[in-house]
Amino acid sequence: MLETLKYLIGSTGVSGFGSKSTAEEATETCPDLLSITAIITGATSGIGAETARVLAKRGARLVLPARNLKAAEEAKARIVSEFPESEIIVMALDLSSLTSVRNFVSELESLNLPVNILINNAGKFAHEHAISEDGIEMTFATNYLGHFLLTKLLLNTMMKTAKQTGVPGRIVNVSSSIHGWFSGDMIRYIGQISRSKSQYDATRAYALSKLANVLHTKELAQRLKQVDANVTVNCVHPGIVRTRLTREREGLITDLVFFLASKLLKTIPQAAATTCYVAAHPRLLNISGKYFADCNEAWTSKLGSNSNEAAKLWAASEIMVSKHAKAVFDPLSAFDYHHM
C-alpha cells in the first residue's frame, strides 16, 4: 500500500528520481555521451523511441535495429529533425529469427563500430499462438531468446570497447513487473507452448518472457564478474504505459481497462526514464545484476531471484540458439535436442 502511494504521488527514492521523473530529467546531470555508441532494439515507437531520442539529445551515436526499416527511418528522421547533429544508423533485425540476429551482428562487426551500451528493449505480446522459424513460441523468441543471442554475440565487442576506451559497457534488459505473474516450471512451459497451442495462455507466455529477461540479467552479471569484464548488466521495469504493445487489441475493453488504470499509467517520457537512467547515469557505475523500477533499485519476484533457475534457463537457452542443433523440448523431462 505504501509503495503504491509513493508511486501515485511520485515521491523520489535514493536516486533522487521517482515514478513521475522523465527520461530527460533522469539524464540531465549525466556527462555528455558524445563518445558513446548505443544499440537500442524496439526504438521505432513508444518507450524505445523516447529512449533513443533522449540518448541522442545527450550526444550518443545510435544504432537502431528494426524489422520494419521504414518505421526505423521515420524514427531516425524525427530525432534528426530535433537534433541535427545526431548520428543514427538504421539496420535490419528480426529478433524472432536467430539467423536475422546473426546477420545483424555480422553486419555491425563489418562497420567496426564500438559498442558501449546495449538496450534490449523490444517487446511483443502475441495474443494468438505462433511459433518462430526456429521452432520457439513467438513471444519468448522475440522478447527473450533473440535478445539472449544478440547479447551473447555482442559481448566480445562490448568488452573490447570497454578495454580500449576505459568506459564501462552497460547492458539494459527491459523487463516488467509482470514477470512476477509467472509461477511453475519455466522449461516445461516453454516446451509445452513451443509444441502446441493447447497450453498457450498469452499473458502467462508474456510473463514468462519477462521473467526470462530478469533471470538472464542475474546469470549474465555473474558470468561477467567471473571474467572480470568491464561491462555491467541490469534489468528495468519501465512502468505501465499505453504503447503499441497493445496494438492487436484495440477496442472498447482495452480502452476501458486503460481508463480505469489511468491513474497508474505513466507517460512515455516517464516510462523511458528508468531505462535511460540505468543506461547512462554515473550513479550506476559498477552496479550489476540489479532490477530497477522508477529509477531506483527494486525487488524481483522470488522466482526472479533464484540462481538455480537462472542457470537452468541459461543452459536451455544455449541449446536453443545453438547453430548445429534445433531445440526439441520434452515437457516431461526438461529438454533435449537433436542434430538437424
Side-chain angles (χ1 to χ4, degrees), residues 312-332:
K312 201 162 79 171
L313 175 66
W314 188 285
S317 304
E318 289 281 16
I319 289 172
M320 284 188 272
V321 302
S322 168
K323 264 187 184 178
H324 307 295
K326 184 169 182 176
V328 177
F329 286 103
D330 181 351
L332 299 176

Side-chain angles (χ1 to χ4, degrees), residues 213-230:
N213 294 145
V214 172
L215 291 172
H216 176 222
T217 303
K218 187 173 183 63
E219 180 69 15
L220 180 57
Q222 289 297 323
R223 288 169 177 259
L224 289 169
K225 193 176 176 184
Q226 283 166 7
V227 297
D228 207 22
N230 194 11

Side-chain angles (χ1 to χ4, degrees), residues 97-112:
S97 161
L98 298 177
T99 298
S100 178
V101 174
R102 287 193 178 90
N103 290 343
F104 165 77
V105 173
S106 177
E107 193 182 335
L108 185 75
E109 285 173 347
S110 72
L111 299 176
N112 285 317

Side-chain angles (χ1 to χ4, degrees), residues 186-244:
M186 294 178 68
I187 306 301
R188 180 182 290 253
Y189 189 59
I190 298 162
Q192 287 172 336
I193 62 177
S194 291
R195 284 184 162 180
S196 73
K197 66 178 179 182
S198 62
Q199 303 285 331
Y200 184 72
D201 176 288
T203 303
R204 192 171 187 225
Y206 183 73
L208 170 65
S209 72
K210 291 299 165 182
L211 174 60
N213 294 145
V214 172
L215 291 172
H216 176 222
T217 303
K218 187 173 183 63
E219 180 69 15
L220 180 57
Q222 289 297 323
R223 288 169 177 259
L224 289 169
K225 193 176 176 184
Q226 283 166 7
V227 297
D228 207 22
N230 194 11
V231 178
T232 60
V233 56
N234 290 292
C235 200
V236 304
H237 164 55
I240 307 162
V241 61
R242 184 169 191 166
T243 69
R244 284 175 57 82

Side-chain angles (χ1 to χ4, degrees), residues 28-315:
E28 212 163 357
T29 59
C30 294
D32 72 59
L33 305 177
L34 288 172
S35 62
I36 298 298
T37 300
I39 300 173
I40 309 167
T41 67
T44 56
S45 65
I47 298 166
E50 178 65 3
T51 300
R53 188 189 75 82
V54 171
L55 293 187
K57 180 176 184 173
R58 302 298 174 218
R61 173 203 281 135
L62 303 182
V63 176
L64 306 185
R67 193 164 48 89
N68 185 337
L69 291 177
K70 183 174 180 286
E73 289 292 353
E74 287 167 357
K76 172 182 174 176
R78 285 193 299 272
I79 295 170
V80 171
S81 69
E82 192 175 354
F83 310 112
E85 300 299 308
S86 303
E87 185 183 347
I88 302 173
I89 300 159
V90 167
M91 296 175 70
L93 172 63
D94 178 354
L95 281 160
S96 74
S97 161
L98 298 177
T99 298
S100 178
V101 174
R102 287 193 178 90
N103 290 343
F104 165 77
V105 173
S106 177
E107 193 182 335
L108 185 75
E109 285 173 347
S110 72
L111 299 176
N112 285 317
L113 288 174
V115 180
N116 305 91
I117 298 171
L118 170 62
I119 300 177
N120 292 319
N121 165 82
K124 180 183 180 66
F125 189 112
H127 293 275
E128 301 301 323
H129 181 260
I131 303 293
S132 77
E133 65 183 44
D134 302 292
I136 308 296
E137 187 278 320
M138 192 60 85
T139 299
F140 186 84
T142 306
N143 295 0
Y144 167 71
L145 196 62
H147 283 129
F148 173 85
L149 180 60
L150 178 66
T151 305
K152 177 183 165 74
L153 296 179
L154 288 174
L155 273 180
N156 278 342
T157 302
M158 291 193 75
M159 289 192 285
K160 195 167 105 182
T161 301
K163 199 170 185 180
Q164 288 174 345
T165 62
V167 179
R170 296 193 189 190
I171 299 164
V172 184
N173 287 332
V174 179
S175 181
S176 167
S177 61
I178 289 170
H179 81 269
W181 293 13
F182 185 88
S183 61
D185 188 324
M186 294 178 68
I187 306 301
R188 180 182 290 253
Y189 189 59
I190 298 162
Q192 287 172 336
I193 62 177
S194 291
R195 284 184 162 180
S196 73
K197 66 178 179 182
S198 62
Q199 303 285 331
Y200 184 72
D201 176 288
T203 303
R204 192 171 187 225
Y206 183 73
L208 170 65
S209 72
K210 291 299 165 182
L211 174 60
N213 294 145
V214 172
L215 291 172
H216 176 222
T217 303
K218 187 173 183 63
E219 180 69 15
L220 180 57
Q222 289 297 323
R223 288 169 177 259
L224 289 169
K225 193 176 176 184
Q226 283 166 7
V227 297
D228 207 22
N230 194 11
V231 178
T232 60
V233 56
N234 290 292
C235 200
V236 304
H237 164 55
I240 307 162
V241 61
R242 184 169 191 166
T243 69
R244 284 175 57 82
L245 201 64
T246 60
R247 60 185 170 270
E248 294 172 41
R249 271 289 185 275
E250 293 300 329
L252 183 63
I253 301 298
T254 305
D255 290 342
L256 185 61
V257 168
F258 272 94
F259 173 74
L260 293 173
S262 61
K263 295 300 178 192
L264 293 171
L265 288 180
K266 286 187 174 188
T267 64
I268 285 174
Q270 288 169 347
T274 307
T275 303
C276 289
Y277 172 76
V278 173
H281 205 282
R283 185 188 276 269
L284 273 293
L285 203 65
N286 301 321
I287 301 295
S288 195
K290 305 295 185 185
Y291 176 76
F292 290 82
D294 303 327
C295 298
N296 287 280
E297 194 178 330
W299 295 101
T300 65
S301 69
K302 193 176 176 184
L303 200 51
S305 62
N306 188 314
S307 300
N308 290 336
E309 287 295 321
K312 201 162 79 171
L313 175 66
W314 188 285

